[in-house]
């Protein structure tokens, strides 16, 4: 007598682990158009491709923000903005830097393998000394060491950056190499994930969009505010009369239309041939910005009206990261002779 046995089912394939990425963003409050086009759109896209960790870096903000209420409000507004624009707590981890104090302990330990000359040469330190000459605090100098700690405490192997920021990441890589050479292989050298991060000019048409410069378009503001800001934009300064042909390649309004419709070549041609005027082009851009960000604006207001929801998401993110942060610190302490 024989018994037919059913073939054993093939073992299910274990899904391949997604590479882990880390990126931090300053708690500068409600986001503007430059924040979204330059970083947040990429954050939203990358959360589907990677194990994404996004951090609101309030420790870093303390190098220039010294008012507690301003800092707390900025963190809440930034978190609500990120969530409203598409970050999904089920697809990524969003948390506040100070909620995981292991970051600062690791930064101190990494500082012991970081020559002073490395941090003194960083472009950010030189810029900050010029921007706040009366407040050149020690944290400005050691800022890059904390940045390195932010990344490597979770052993993130990827960091999303624009190609213009690659030099900043290289210092983190140097710090990792210095630590690994002295104490043994501990951290992976973080690699850049180059993203299309355009430099978005402000309403002045000259400088990068920045709150400190007052040249922003506040995409989550009321429609009237957005329209007022767009209508104040500097366009082609050499186009004096409505009948003068324009230069769309230097017109900030024309350039921004690339992000809000496939018909931007027609818009540019209209400016070049004087079929359309700058006022018309601005009105169209304002309408499109208002329309595109309307759902995010509504969600942002809901989140700001329910701070407990935002705080809960941030706390869950920090709690989710606790085991990994503690595991890394246990390993580092042992390697350095602190245990």
């Amino acid at each position: 007598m024989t018994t037919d046995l059913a073939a054993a089912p093939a073992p299910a394939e274990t899904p391949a682990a997604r590479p882990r990425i880390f990126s931090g963003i300053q708690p500068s409050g409600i986001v503007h158009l430059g924040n979204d086009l330059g970083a947040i759109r990429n954050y939203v896209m990358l959360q589907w491709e990677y194990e994404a960790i996004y951090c609101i870096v309030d420790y870093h903000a303390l190098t220039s923000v010294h008012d507690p209420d301003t800092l707390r409000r900025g963190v809440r507004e930034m978190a609500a903005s990120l969530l409203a624009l598409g970050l999904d707590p089920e697809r990524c981890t969003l948390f506040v830097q100070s909620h995981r104090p292991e970051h600062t302990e690791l930064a101190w330990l990494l500082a012991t393998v970081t020559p002073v000359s490395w941090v003194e040469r960083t472009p950010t330190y030189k810029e900050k000394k010029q921007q706040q000459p009366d407040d050149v605090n020690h944290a400005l100098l050691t800022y890059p060491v904390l940045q390195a700690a932010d990344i490597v405490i979770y052993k993130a192997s990827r960091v999303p950056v624009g190609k213009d920021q690659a030099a900043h990441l290289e210092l983190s890589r140097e710090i990792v190499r210095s630590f690994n050479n002295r104490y043994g292989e501990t951290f992976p050298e973080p690699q850049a994930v180059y993203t299309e991060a355009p430099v978005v000019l402000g309403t002045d048409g000259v400088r990068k969009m920045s709150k400190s410069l007052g040249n922003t378009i506040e995409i989550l503001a009321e429609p009237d505010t957005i329209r007022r800001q767009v209508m104040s934009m500097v366009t082609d300064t050499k186009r004096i009369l409505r009948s003068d042909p324009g230069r769309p390649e230097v017109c900030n309004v024309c350039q921004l239309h690339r992000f809000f419709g496939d018909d931007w070549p027609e818009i540019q041609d209209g400016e070049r041939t004087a079929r359309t005027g700058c006022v018309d082009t601005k009105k169209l851009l304002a309408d499109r910005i208002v329309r595109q960000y309307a759902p995010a604006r509504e969600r942002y207001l809901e989140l700001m009206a329910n701070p407990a929801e935002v705080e809960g998401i941030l706390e869950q993110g920090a709690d989710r990261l606790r085991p990994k942060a503690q595991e890394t610190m246990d390993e580092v302490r042992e390697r350095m002779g602190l245990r």
Side-chain angles (χ1 to χ4, degrees):
M1 176 178 177
T2 60
T3 303
D4 292 332
L5 298 176
E13 292 186 7
T14 302
R18 295 181 296 166
R20 183 177 296 148
I21 66 170
F22 179 95
S23 187
I25 189 168
Q26 285 271 0
S28 54
I30 306 172
V31 301
H32 54 70
L33 183 61
N35 298 141
D36 187 42
L37 298 182
I40 298 171
R41 286 190 179 187
N42 283 322
Y43 285 2
V44 173
M45 176 186 68
L46 293 171
Q47 70 182 341
W48 295 93
E49 301 176 30
Y50 296 91
E51 180 190 343
I53 300 173
Y54 298 128
C55 179
I56 300 175
V57 291
D58 55 345
Y59 280 147
H60 287 299
L62 288 171
T63 60
S64 57
V65 178
H66 305 304
D67 179 71
D69 291 335
T70 299
L71 184 61
R72 293 189 191 100
R73 183 174 63 253
V75 169
R76 187 178 302 115
E77 290 174 343
M78 176 55 71
S81 297
L82 292 170
L83 294 167
L85 288 166
L87 287 195
D88 182 350
E90 300 299 319
R91 298 294 312 179
C92 68
T93 299
L94 177 65
F95 76 112
V96 180
Q97 189 180 29
S98 63
H99 292 183
R100 287 266 53 88
E102 296 89 349
H103 286 230
T104 49
E105 181 183 358
L106 181 57
W108 175 260
L109 300 179
L110 292 180
T112 67
V113 301
T114 305
V116 173
S117 60
W118 288 5
V119 290
E120 285 179 329
R121 75 183 186 216
T122 57
T124 303
Y125 177 58
K126 296 174 182 177
E127 291 169 8
K128 288 290 186 179
K129 284 200 299 182
Q130 293 179 340
Q131 292 172 1
Q132 51 188 76
D134 298 326
D135 187 20
V136 184
N137 52 74
H138 182 266
L140 283 176
L141 182 64
T142 55
Y143 194 110
V145 184
L146 180 54
Q147 281 184 320
D150 293 336
I151 298 166
V152 303
I153 195 167
Y154 305 112
K155 299 197 174 180
S157 59
R158 306 282 194 279
V159 179
V161 294
K163 290 187 177 179
D164 60 329
Q165 300 171 322
H168 295 224
L169 179 60
E170 184 56 32
L171 179 54
S172 293
R173 290 163 51 80
E174 288 180 321
I175 293 171
V176 165
R177 286 194 290 269
S178 179
F179 187 94
N180 289 347
N181 288 338
R182 184 172 297 179
Y183 294 108
E185 287 296 321
T186 307
F187 301 113
E189 288 188 32
Q191 306 294 320
V193 176
Y194 290 118
T195 56
E196 292 299 324
V199 175
V200 181
L201 296 181
T203 53
D204 56 10
V206 177
R207 297 170 295 180
K208 185 177 178 180
M209 191 173 287
S210 168
K211 281 190 176 182
S212 63
L213 298 175
N215 64 353
T216 62
I217 298 173
E218 301 169 23
I219 54 178
L220 301 181
E222 291 299 316
D224 286 348
T225 298
I226 294 173
R227 289 192 170 92
R228 183 174 66 253
Q229 290 171 340
V230 173
M231 295 307 294
S232 73
M233 292 178 70
V234 175
T235 54
D236 181 357
T237 56
K238 291 187 177 180
R239 189 181 185 191
I240 308 301
L241 301 176
R242 168 66 175 75
S243 56
D244 292 339
R247 299 174 299 159
E249 64 276 4
V250 301
C251 173
N252 195 22
V253 175
C254 286
Q255 293 302 310
L256 285 179
H257 267 288
R258 292 171 178 269
F259 302 102
F260 297 98
D262 294 334
D263 58 347
W264 60 267
E266 300 169 29
I267 293 170
Q268 292 197 0
D269 187 64
E271 288 288 300
R272 188 177 291 109
T273 60
R275 290 199 318 273
T276 56
C278 294
V279 170
D280 302 323
T281 310
K282 286 181 182 181
K283 286 181 178 178
L284 179 60
L285 179 62
D287 288 343
R288 289 181 171 182
I289 292 175
V290 167
R291 183 168 59 250
Q292 176 157 321
Y293 289 105
R297 192 175 309 116
E298 182 177 352
R299 177 60 176 150
Y300 172 80
L301 293 174
E302 290 174 357
L303 289 165
M304 289 301 292
N306 186 12
E309 180 179 356
V310 177
E311 291 167 7
I313 290 170
L314 296 174
E315 288 174 5
Q316 288 171 12
D319 288 344
R320 189 183 306 161
L321 293 171
R322 178 185 289 113
K324 184 59 182 173
Q326 292 179 342
E327 177 187 350
T328 298
M329 291 312 304
D330 287 343
E331 179 184 4
V332 169
R333 294 187 198 110
E334 182 177 359
R335 286 183 178 274
M336 299 184 75
L338 299 173
R339 287 290 188 274

